[in-house]
Amino acid sequence: MTIQTTNPFTNKTVKSFKEMTETAVEGKVAKAQEAFTHWKETTYQHRADLLHKVATLMRVKKSELAQTITLEMGKILSQAEGEIDLSADIFDYYANHGEKFLADKVLDPEYGTALIRNSPIGVLLGVMPWNFPFYQVARFVAPNIMVGNTILLKHASIVPQCAAALEELFAEAEAPEGLYTNLFISGKRASALVSDKRIKGVSLTGSEEAGASIAIEAGKYLKKVVLELGGNDVFIILEDADMDKTVEWAVVGRMNNNGQCCVASKRFIAVEAIADTFIKKFKDALSKMKVGDPMDPDTELGPLSSEEAAVELADQVKRSVDQGAKVLLGGKRADREGAFMEPTILTNLKPGIAAYHEELFGPVASFYVVKDEEAAIALANDSDFGLGASVFTQDIERGKRIADQIDAGMVFINHPTWTQADLPFGGTKRSGFGRELSELGIHEFVNKKLIRVSELNDPF
Ligand code: NAP
């Protein structure tokens, strides 16, 4: 396998890394286990101090770290800087709130007393994707370090410099050796590692295939697993939506991160009454996007993360068109060097057409017109995925009623699905299970230990 930095703006490889040997990995797992025996005894204050230090270092090095993101996976530089801010906020958030979230929960049993204590469980394995190289790691790692667990992290092989920089941040913050360890190994080897008795839980963010591979091993070896997988989120536009603002959010929802967000708005569903107005404005906005160098502050749409990703997306569009989809805008690779795809809108999509079912991970929007709200909900739910969804309406009660009927982990009213430290993130159906962030995220890898005190004469 190759672990290397290839700039997707030029498709030139700039740095390669060696995969770790089995002996090296064994040494790192042993260190992570040893670190756990000490880390689980530290105070919450001690753990919070470390998380704050990492957050501070991230902010100090923001510019350098953001440039590494942009170099390795093509994110527009200002968005990469935003990702570093968000990641630092997540570290601070768990440092500030972790102890409160993990406090004993006193129960009120019929007789005697009882409480639930949240104890760490041990070494965890994280398998993370390239699309938010710092944020994805932050939302798994910060809560678990606060819990008292230790971390082995297998990052996507196209962002090795980000992976190494994350480990370096912990070293600079003077974290004990073994608390956070980067593993340069293949996905297959990460799956195989789940069987190691010292690893007590695993969290994967990525594709359904990789998720299933990890979940099979977790099932076989009876380990707790959290999966954050793909999505095909809807963006529903009702007749009473504020059209100009809705179109602005539609562009952000689809094109943020060059179209490569799990929670990107991917299926745009407009009711008949306003469909023509929406699509005219949306198409106009996408066709004016400035495509170019992600390091250039004027650029609005950069390349995909890799040449392979661009080839795959173009193939999904071609298959869809061969099956009957119509191209309203774009539809091809951009005529330039690098992993670029034109901003694209597909329509005339029906069951059986690739774009109706598959996740399109890039700047390609699917557009649907439906008769009314009921038809919009039915179409939204006709998907194997259930990650996020958006509903645009000026009637908030109507928006909430629709949210109730959509099978998704997150429904946003008048906003594209997005994330912040204090809101839970996760999906249902084939988008995975478990939650990250907020108070919910910190409880995924803890032993909720019941401690019961009885009188000797209490009944059995
Ligand atoms: P991917 O190919 O599944 O890669 C994700 C991670 O899994 C990488 O570290 C990858 O390593 C590893 N991996 C690949 N095959 C594996 C296997 N058989 N066993 C164990 N690990 C394996 O996904 P991606 O293309 O990087 O990311 C895009 C996908 O992630 C999209 O579907 C997107 O929607 C989803 N995603 C979901 C969320 C969420 O929160 N729900 C967030 C972001 C992205 P290598 O790089 O070495 O192959």
Side-chain angles (χ1 to χ4, degrees), residues 45-60:
Q45 187 57 52
H46 183 80
R47 297 174 199 166
D49 288 347
L50 177 82
L51 294 184
H52 280 312
K53 264 197 209 168
V54 173
T56 303
L57 282 166
M58 273 187 181
R59 293 192 180 100
V60 169

Side-chain angles (χ1 to χ4, degrees), residues 13-156:
T13 297
V14 293
K15 200 165 178 181
S16 296
F17 294 75
K18 278 211 172 76
E19 191 172 344
M20 288 172 177
T21 63
E22 283 301 315
T23 315
V25 172
E26 165 51 36
K28 289 182 185 287
V29 178
K31 275 268 182 299
Q33 174 59 31
E34 193 195 324
F36 175 65
T37 62
H38 305 295
W39 192 249
K40 68 177 182 173
E41 303 297 342
T42 56
T43 62
Y44 285 127
Q45 187 57 52
H46 183 80
R47 297 174 199 166
D49 288 347
L50 177 82
L51 294 184
H52 280 312
K53 264 197 209 168
V54 173
T56 303
L57 282 166
M58 273 187 181
R59 293 192 180 100
V60 169
K61 300 173 122 193
K62 176 161 86 174
S63 169
E64 178 194 326
L65 298 174
Q67 285 186 41
T68 309
I69 295 177
T70 301
L71 169 73
E72 293 199 302
M73 52 70 70
K75 193 190 303 267
I76 286 175
L77 189 59
S78 58
Q79 293 179 15
E81 287 168 353
E83 180 179 339
I84 298 299
D85 286 335
L86 174 60
S87 306
D89 288 350
I90 291 170
F91 275 85
D92 279 341
Y93 174 78
Y94 282 108
N96 292 333
H97 300 281
E99 181 168 5
K100 177 180 71 195
F101 293 156
L102 295 166
D104 288 350
K105 182 172 180 199
V106 177
L107 304 179
D108 185 20
E110 206 176 311
Y111 54 88
T113 61
L115 59 86
I116 292 175
R117 177 147 302 155
N118 292 297
S119 312
I121 59 171
V123 182
L124 305 180
L125 174 65
V127 182
M128 293 295 147
W130 45 263
N131 67 339
F132 289 87
F134 283 75
Y135 156 79
Q136 303 287 2
V137 172
R139 71 184 193 176
F140 164 61
V141 165
N144 281 303
I145 285 187
M146 199 63 194
V147 164
N149 296 319
T150 62
I151 310 289
L152 295 166
L153 205 294
K154 182 267 179 287
H155 218 319

Side-chain angles (χ1 to χ4, degrees), residues 191-228:
S191 278
L193 203 52
V194 175
S195 67
D196 190 294
K197 282 197 167 154
R198 292 161 293 188
I199 291 172
K200 297 295 190 290
V202 55
S203 180
L204 177 137
T205 298
S207 62
E208 291 166 87
E209 295 72 22
S213 166
I214 285 285
I216 285 168
E217 295 306 308
K220 200 154 129 197
Y221 295 97
L222 304 174
K223 309 276 170 92
K224 171 76 192 267
V225 61
V226 166
L227 297 178
E228 298 282 3

Side-chain angles (χ1 to χ4, degrees), residues 230-259:
N232 205 1
D233 291 10
V234 289
F235 184 109
I236 296 175
I237 311 114
L238 297 174
E239 60 282 354
D240 63 346
D242 174 328
M243 199 46 70
D244 287 338
K245 205 59 214 167
T246 300
V247 170
E248 266 178 46
W249 281 126
V251 175
V252 175
R254 181 57 284 197
M255 295 303 188
N256 179 36
N257 206 26
N258 303 327

